[in-house]
Every structure is written in C-alpha cells, then in structure tokens.
Amino acid sequence: MKPATPTPAHAWTALVLTAIAGAVDGAGFLSLSQQFVANQTGNAVLLAVAVSGELTGRDDGLSPVGPLWSLLGFSVGAVLASFATRRHVLTSFGVPLLLVVEVVMLALAGLAHSFELAIALAAFAMGVQSIHAARIGLSGVSTTVLTGTLIALFVNLSGGRRGLRSARLQAGVWAVYLVAAGLGSVLAHAVSFGAVCWTAAAVAAAMAVAAYVEAHRGSLV
C-alpha cells in the first residue's frame, strides 16, 4: 500500500500539535515529579517500575500516583473525544471542537494547584489532541507518542518519492518534539508549569481561530 502524501495543511498541523505535546511533556517531566502527560508509553514504564518497587520493597523514589493520574486523564480524554467524533463531526459552525476542548483543559491545567489535578487535566488535553490528529488523517504521524512515527519514518525511507515526502514530515515531527520539549523544560524552570500550559493553550487557540477563519473564508468573499 502506498503511503499517504501529507498535504501542507496536515503537515503544519502535525508540527504544531507535536510542538504543543513536546513542550507540555518537557515541562511536566521537570515540574511534576518526572511525569509525562503526552507520552503514555513512558508513563506505563514509570508505573510498572513504581509498582514493582513497592511490591518488592525496593526504594526507587518512584510513586505510581503520577503515572496513574496521567494515564487516567489521557484515557478519559481520548475516549470522550473518540465518541464525540465517532461520525467524524470535528466542527460545529466552523469551530474545531476538539481544539477548543484542548485549549480549555490546558488552561485549567495551568491554573490547577493540585499536583494530581494538573497532571490529569494536561493528560486529558493530550488525549483529546491525539484523537484530533487521528480524525483529520495525519497518516503515519502521532503527535503524542512518537515511536510509531519513528517506525513509519524508517519504512517510508524506502518508499520512493511519495514515501520520502512522508518521511520528511515524520523526521520534522521528531525534531520539533525534541526542540519543544527542551524549550518547555526551560520555560517551566524559569517561570512555571502553568506558563507552559497557558502558552500551549494560546497556540492551540490560534490554530482553532485559523481553522474557523478558513472554514468561513468562502462565505466572507
């Protein structure tokens, strides 16, 4: 099967959403006792190590609380977003519904004073974002868990001209995630985790506004 060729709009969407996930993940790892809010594969490992340490009496300094809240928040966000868009109804009156939800949850995560609530709300936003990326057809790209994107990159390297175009996007997604995670950790250290969440919410809000304007462009002409 030939790899799908990403459109410019899809490519920019993938890169921006990945930047949001990377920034929040980097900030969360630094500020929330080394918890991930987007990368749930990492949380699964942290949870397994923490539980095994408690069962065997090993003192690793790890707690299962953070990973559990993150996994729960992400799962609830993804499930609700999936059911809400099961008929691929992503917009209402031109407003991208899932992006709006993501903006609200990130803003609330930035305001949360509770460690557990901040993790859960940010992870909820990332779960919603994952479904948004899947629904708009970002083939071979996950904006929150990038192992699959890395595999797709290697597969597409041998896929001819079309495959190479997809591979460039997937390589870009990896680079953007790395840079954004670093910048997120810097901003979290210099200011706060909330500042990163509010910045990410502002970027997602700008995307929502751009999508709204694009949807109504025809009627305004």
Side-chain angles (χ1 to χ4, degrees):
M1 184 175 66
K2 292 182 179 180
T5 303
T7 66
H10 281 182
W12 279 109
T13 299
L15 292 172
V16 175
L17 291 179
T18 302
I20 290 174
V24 177
D25 242 359
F29 192 81
L30 187 69
S31 303
L32 303 177
S33 299
Q34 298 185 333
Q35 309 302 321
F36 296 106
V37 294
N39 178 14
Q40 295 305 319
T41 303
N43 272 328
V45 174
L46 291 174
L47 176 61
V49 172
V51 170
S52 70
E54 292 199 354
L55 291 176
T56 60
R58 190 180 65 239
D59 185 13
D60 298 321
L62 295 175
S63 168
V65 174
L68 279 172
W69 276 104
S70 185
L71 284 163
L72 178 62
F74 188 96
S75 299
V76 172
V79 168
L80 291 179
S82 181
F83 274 103
T85 58
R86 61 189 181 278
R87 295 182 180 178
H88 296 263
V89 181
L90 287 170
T91 61
S92 178
F93 302 105
V95 178
L97 300 177
L98 296 187
L99 281 179
V100 172
V101 173
E102 180 175 355
V103 169
V104 172
M105 300 308 288
L106 284 172
L108 290 175
L111 293 171
H113 296 293
S114 163
F115 163 81
E116 295 84 0
L117 185 59
I119 292 175
L121 290 172
F124 187 104
M126 293 299 98
V128 171
Q129 176 176 298
S130 294
I131 298 302
H132 177 74
R135 292 299 198 212
I136 64 176
L138 295 179
S139 179
V141 173
S142 169
T143 64
T144 53
V145 182
L146 300 187
T147 303
T149 301
L150 186 63
I151 293 170
L153 163 62
F154 295 145
V155 169
N156 284 326
L157 286 176
S158 61
R161 184 176 298 176
R162 180 177 296 180
L164 287 176
R165 283 199 292 269
S166 295
R168 282 197 294 270
L169 172 60
Q170 288 146 1
V173 163
W174 258 90
V176 164
Y177 183 90
L178 290 173
V179 172
L183 292 176
S185 66
V186 169
L187 182 57
H189 177 72
V191 187
S192 66
F193 175 71
V196 177
C197 287
W198 296 327
T199 302
V203 173
M207 291 182 67
V209 170
Y212 178 84
V213 170
E214 182 65 26
H216 288 77
R217 177 174 294 175
S219 61
L220 294 175
V221 175

